[in-house]
Amino acid sequence: MSTSPQESLDLNEEEQLLYELLEGCFEQERKRVAKLLADKDDSNLFGQTEYDLRDRVHALGAKALEVVADERQKKGRLRAS
């Protein structure tokens, strides 16, 4: 059974902090994705657009990892490599 997007998740303190830190970059990326998809007509929705969308999602994941690593490093939980 899946949860609906409207259901709130109970987050612990660290989860809430990360949620708030990630909010801005996720919102920016959501706008980019919406623009990417809106700019394509039905015949161009798949194919190259799929690759462009995948690249955007991968970039978002990389940004999320960077934000979390930076936060943990500030707290001394992550040593620089």
Side-chain angles (χ1 to χ4, degrees):
M1 185 169 160
S2 65
T3 60
S4 71
Q6 289 80 23
E7 286 185 43
S8 64
L9 298 174
D10 291 331
L11 301 177
N12 66 35
E13 187 176 328
E14 183 176 8
E15 292 166 344
Q16 184 65 37
L17 173 64
L18 295 177
Y19 174 81
E20 291 170 9
L21 288 172
L22 293 171
E23 191 171 21
C25 64
F26 274 56
E27 183 60 26
Q28 289 174 352
E29 198 56 47
R30 186 168 77 166
K31 289 177 184 178
R32 288 186 189 106
V33 167
K35 182 165 178 44
L36 170 71
L37 296 174
D39 287 347
K40 303 298 179 184
D41 61 24
D42 293 347
S43 65
N44 292 312
L45 190 57
F46 296 97
Q48 184 59 45
T49 304
E50 292 176 84
Y51 293 108
D52 295 341
L53 181 59
R54 182 198 62 201
D55 291 345
R56 297 294 345 138
V57 172
H58 283 178
L60 179 59
K63 180 64 178 173
L65 288 170
E66 180 183 326
V67 167
V68 172
D70 286 348
E71 182 63 22
R72 289 184 179 177
Q73 191 169 18
K74 284 182 202 173
K75 293 180 177 182
R77 291 178 47 194
L78 186 69
R79 289 180 286 166
S81 305

